[in-house]
Amino acid sequence: MTILNFNVGILGHVDSGKTSLAKALSTVASTNAFDKNPQSQERGITLDLGFSSFPLDPPEQLVTAGYDQLQITLVDCPGHASLIRTIIGGAQIIDMMLLVIDIVKGIQTQTAECLVIGEITCDKMLVVLNKIDLIDEKQRQETIVKMTKRLQKTFEKTKFANSPIVSCSASVGGSGDEQISQKTCNTLHLDDLISTLKSCIYIPNRSADGPFVFAVDHCFAIKGQGTVMTGTILSGCVRINDTIEITEQKEARKVKSMQMFRKPIERAIQGDRVGICVTQFDPDKLERGLIASVGVIKTFYALILRMNKVHYFKHEIESRTKYHITVAHSTVMGKIILFNNSDNSVNEDKDKIFDYSREYEALDQYPTTTDSLSTPTPNVYALIELETSVTCQLNSIVIGSRLDTNINANVCRLAFYGHVLDGFTDIDYMTKNEIEKIRIYKNKEKTGVVERMVDIYTIIGKDLFKKETNINLFIGCKVILTSGEQGYIESSFGQSGKIKIRIPNGLSAEVQQMFPTTKTKKQKQTTAKDDDIDHEEKTDRRANNVKIILKFKKYLFSHTNSIVQ
Ligand SMILES: Nc1nc2c(ncn2[C@@H]2O[C@H](COP(=O)(O)OP(=O)(O)OP(=O)(O)O)[C@@H](O)[C@H]2O)c(=O)[nH]1
């Protein structure tokens, strides 16, 4: 028997009827489905992901592909704005989205955010106009047609143009803890919904190959059995007796038994929703997270992404700004540094990911940082320094958001999205090897002035560095004078950030005229009058302003001092 488990996320604004719809459609509920959590019941809102399922007759193309059963797993996501982290985590495991819209209210703030999450995480959407029972029967059809047209216009601009829109009433009546078997039948048009859903089913990627990675959404103990972790297999396959690693804890355990919606199973593959039972693991140690084949998942302290801006985000994405970074089921703070790929050969080939660790012949070929991103732009990359490490696999979806924005502000809080290309796995990621691993620099320019000439080959420069700058890092760096001469920094001079610059070809006669040479002891014993003149001249000459320009590249990470020219 080959079963395809197809994961359908139910997303939408708070109170649009997502949980009611999940209840109306499902025949099997998993542990936390339908707001069973006591806090959910108290507050009357969904606080966590709820999983439930129902079977469907497999459509023709599935049968042809060798599946004889189709199981739809519904992932009921919370709608409340403050729970967007959970929604993002849930959306990353779905094959298709059901976007629930209250027909009376139309598109609301979280409807729009859910649309963005859907655009980032999945390819198909089915829109459900819910609560049609609230519209007087005489006006119902007309209202449905009007709302459908309005939504079609909105979706035209998204990747979900031409998505089917169905209307229904999911209300099952009664309180939140009501069992499915007790549902009353005041639902409307659910059959239409189910047949449209069926027409949207496609054959998703389901491969048993590759490393086993499993996104855990709940973890609990069962007396006499062990600890059960429920979740969705993101890649690979798992069998009873396989050794798996609970990644954050770095603890390895053997799979004792497995269930898929209460039926024992021996083996499960990518896309399946299963409960995995292990022994001697304290369930309090894991709430959400990843388990995987040993050594597959890494803990990253910094991530490198290929990323893009969310179209609806009203502000610029600014380098050196902090965002909420959601990867897998974690949301942490991270500082983003944007960089561009200046390697033209890659720009031409969209699918080619440039090698940010390669050596380039000329320094201007290195990727360099950009300050901000105001519109969605291809070929933008980001380095994200995380405040708390995250555990994820390469290629995971990352969403950057400003969840601190006032939730009543009616604006999209999702700022950018991308995929993890690489990352730094060691807390000590500033080691030499790691610096070598990623060669991304920002262009810097410093300007100073010539204070005086020591001899025609040597000048003293100032205003280039602060007193506290470690000038040793810049020794040997090339500088250019605005009068045309080239030179290099030979050493620091004194304690106030001044530098001695060597001009191998010597200063031009014109520049020599401009600056007094350093006085010898003898010269210093001049009269006070002479000294006054000299001082006056110095000021005048400095007004001519021969500037010293130092161009260099500073390594991208904020806490490293590595520079190149
Ligand atoms: N009249 C009517 N009420 C509905 C319908 N669907 C849901 N409701 C009611 O709307 C309220 C919210 O329903 P839920 O299913 O909890 O909505 P939700 O979108 O899951 O809510 P959150 O998860 O908290 O965002 C409940 O009182 C439901 O009984 C419907 O089709 N018609």
Side-chain angles (χ1 to χ4, degrees):
M1 186 82 54
T2 316
I3 306 176
L4 173 68
N5 179 59
F6 194 82
N7 297 307
V8 178
I10 310 188
L11 284 84
H13 194 84
V14 66
D15 266 356
S16 52
K18 300 176 292 299
T19 307
S20 305
L21 187 64
K23 240 187 207 183
L25 293 171
S26 304
T27 52
V28 180
S30 91
T31 357
N32 257 17
F34 312 144
D35 303 348
K36 274 191 222 145
N37 170 329
Q39 278 171 305
S40 275
Q41 289 188 15
E42 204 176 290
R43 293 178 59 187
I45 57 170
T46 307
L47 292 175
D48 206 347
L49 300 174
F51 293 87
S52 57
S53 77
F54 62 99
L56 266 188
D57 285 339
E60 198 55 44
Q61 82 270 24
L62 256 61
V63 179
T64 317
Y67 290 106
D68 30 39
Q69 274 191 33
L70 170 62
Q71 174 181 262
I72 305 292
T73 293
L74 298 176
V75 186
D76 177 20
C77 297
H80 197 268
S82 60
L83 301 166
I84 193 111
R85 296 176 175 88
T86 313
I87 305 176
I88 296 173
Q92 298 186 63
I93 52 172
I94 63 176
D95 299 308
M96 178 181 145
M97 160 165 84
L98 281 194
L99 183 66
V100 184
I101 299 174
D102 180 332
I103 191 160
V104 182
K105 300 193 173 137
I107 290 202
Q108 295 170 273
T109 318
Q110 273 81 60
T111 323
E113 284 188 340
C114 290
L115 189 63
V116 174
I117 293 171
E119 278 201 277
I120 297 167
T121 56
C122 64
D123 291 327
K124 277 230 166 182
M125 175 174 81
L126 166 59
V127 183
V128 181
L129 284 177
N130 191 31
K131 304 198 183 182
I132 56 167
D133 58 297
L134 294 179
I135 295 169
D136 189 86
E137 238 181 305
K138 285 183 204 135
Q139 278 120 41
R140 193 173 292 160
Q141 197 46 35
E142 194 188 330
T143 313
I144 292 171
V145 171
K146 259 194 194 163
M147 184 57 100
T148 304
K149 280 194 181 149
R150 200 179 304 163
L151 292 175
Q152 276 165 341
K153 250 193 147 169
T154 309
F155 300 140
E156 249 170 36
K157 294 172 223 143
T158 73
K159 81 172 187 196
F160 297 125
N162 305 321
S163 289
I165 301 174
V166 290
S167 54
C168 74
S169 177
S171 177
V172 293
S175 62
D177 60 352
E178 198 172 11
Q179 294 303 307
I180 301 172
S181 57
Q182 293 172 302
K183 68 186 165 202
T184 55
C185 284
N186 60 345
T187 55
L188 289 174
H189 300 251
L190 273 194
D191 292 345
D192 285 356
L193 169 60
I194 291 170
S195 61
T196 315
L197 174 64
K198 210 169 145 180
S199 70
C200 294
I201 305 289
Y202 62 94
I203 303 169
N205 281 343
R206 295 292 191 256
S207 166
D209 300 339
F212 167 68
V213 182
F214 181 70
V216 179
D217 45 65
H218 296 113
C219 182
F220 50 90
I222 294 190
K223 238 186 173 173
Q225 296 284 322
T227 297
V228 172
M229 292 170 272
T230 59
T232 307
I233 301 178
L234 300 178
S235 71
C237 132
V238 62
R239 289 183 183 82
I240 292 177
N241 280 333
D242 279 358
T243 302
I244 52 167
E245 184 181 42
I246 300 145
T247 52
E248 242 157 287
Q249 286 68 24
K250 299 248 178 303
E251 290 189 30
R253 291 288 182 281
K254 263 201 168 151
V255 176
K256 185 185 164 204
S257 61
M258 285 195 291
Q259 282 194 358
M260 200 192 285
F261 284 101
R262 307 210 173 131
K263 286 188 196 132
I265 47 163
E266 296 278 317
R267 171 183 180 267
I269 64 160
Q270 184 184 37
D272 286 341
R273 175 153 182 83
V274 291
I276 294 178
C277 183
V278 297
T279 50
Q280 291 171 342
F281 179 72
D282 178 0
D284 292 342
K285 283 193 188 165
L286 181 73
E287 199 189 337
R288 286 257 142 96
L290 294 172
I291 60 179
S293 313
V294 178
V296 165
I297 299 292
K298 294 187 171 140
T299 299
F300 292 112
Y301 293 86
L303 301 172
I304 295 165
L305 308 187
R306 176 179 216 154
M307 55 85 75
N308 213 339
K309 182 179 183 283
V310 168
H311 183 73
Y312 305 98
F313 188 66
K314 290 216 170 88
H315 309 280
E316 290 193 338
I317 312 289
E318 286 176 59
S319 260
R320 319 216 146 260
T321 310
K322 285 186 183 173
Y323 291 86
H324 291 92
I325 306 296
T326 303
V327 201
H329 284 295
S330 319
T331 299
V332 299
M333 292 305 292
K335 187 171 79 181
I336 172 173
I337 301 169
L338 299 167
F339 62 96
N340 271 330
N341 166 27
S342 49
D343 185 343
N344 287 334
S345 65
V346 180
N347 283 333
E348 282 157 20
D349 180 357
K350 270 196 228 143
D351 293 328
K352 199 173 144 198
I353 293 172
F354 84 98
D355 177 4
Y356 42 80
S357 61
R358 79 181 238 206
E359 288 270 11
Y360 290 89
E361 275 168 26
L363 281 165
D364 60 4
Q365 290 172 338
Y366 278 106
T368 48
T369 53
T370 21
D371 291 338
S372 62
L373 189 63
S374 51
T375 50
T377 314
N379 279 318
V380 175
Y381 297 80
L383 169 77
I384 303 181
E385 293 184 52
L386 302 165
E387 284 186 2
T388 316
S389 62
V390 294
T391 307
C392 68
Q393 62 184 140
L394 292 181
N395 211 27
S396 298
I397 295 173
V398 176
I399 296 180
S401 50
R402 294 301 296 258
L403 301 180
D404 48 340
T405 312
N406 179 356
I407 54 175
N408 300 318
N410 219 8
V411 292
C412 176
R413 294 168 298 162
L414 309 174
F416 62 87
Y417 61 95
H419 287 88
V420 177
L421 293 181
D422 206 343
F424 290 83
T425 54
D426 200 324
I427 186 79
D428 195 18
Y429 61 83
M430 283 303 108
T431 57
K432 183 112 178 53
N433 283 349
E434 296 273 82
I435 288 177
E436 289 299 311
K437 180 175 164 185
I438 159 170
R439 296 172 181 277
I440 304 167
Y441 301 88
K442 57 185 169 176
N443 279 323
K444 295 276 257 182
E445 186 172 317
K446 284 181 182 286
T447 310
V449 292
V450 179
E451 188 192 64
R452 63 178 181 273
M453 193 171 88
V454 178
D455 54 48
I456 65 162
Y457 299 106
T458 315
I459 53 173
I460 303 299
K462 63 173 207 174
D463 298 347
L464 233 88
F465 300 112
K466 291 191 187 117
K467 193 175 160 196
E468 58 275 11
T469 308
N470 179 4
I471 293 174
N472 284 338
L473 289 172
F474 295 87
I475 289 177
C477 283
K478 281 184 226 141
V479 293
I480 184 156
L481 304 189
T482 43
S483 49
E485 290 89 341
Q486 290 187 12
Y488 63 87
I489 298 175
E490 195 174 67
S491 65
S492 60
F493 185 81
Q495 302 295 316
S496 55
K498 291 183 190 174
I499 43 168
K500 196 185 251 186
I501 295 170
R502 181 88 181 149
I503 312 283
N505 293 331
L507 292 168
S508 68
E510 203 181 319
V511 177
Q512 286 176 41
Q513 287 296 309
M514 281 183 193
F515 296 101
T517 49
T518 305
K519 292 175 208 161
T520 58
K521 266 188 190 163
K522 212 173 166 190
Q523 280 172 314
K524 276 185 185 167
Q525 291 159 4
T526 49
T527 61
K529 205 180 160 202
D530 283 349
D531 209 34
D532 278 351
I533 293 163
D534 188 59
H535 186 259
E536 213 172 87
E537 277 175 358
K538 234 191 235 174
T539 322
D540 280 345
R541 283 165 184 162
R542 239 177 282 141
N544 282 320
N545 247 346
V546 174
K547 288 199 174 127
I548 307 163
I549 300 186
L550 166 68
K551 284 187 181 173
F552 63 102
K553 288 176 188 283
K554 188 174 188 308
Y555 188 66
L556 196 60
F557 276 114
S558 50
H559 34 291
T560 171
N561 286 324
S562 176
I563 67 146
V564 262
Q565 262 202 322

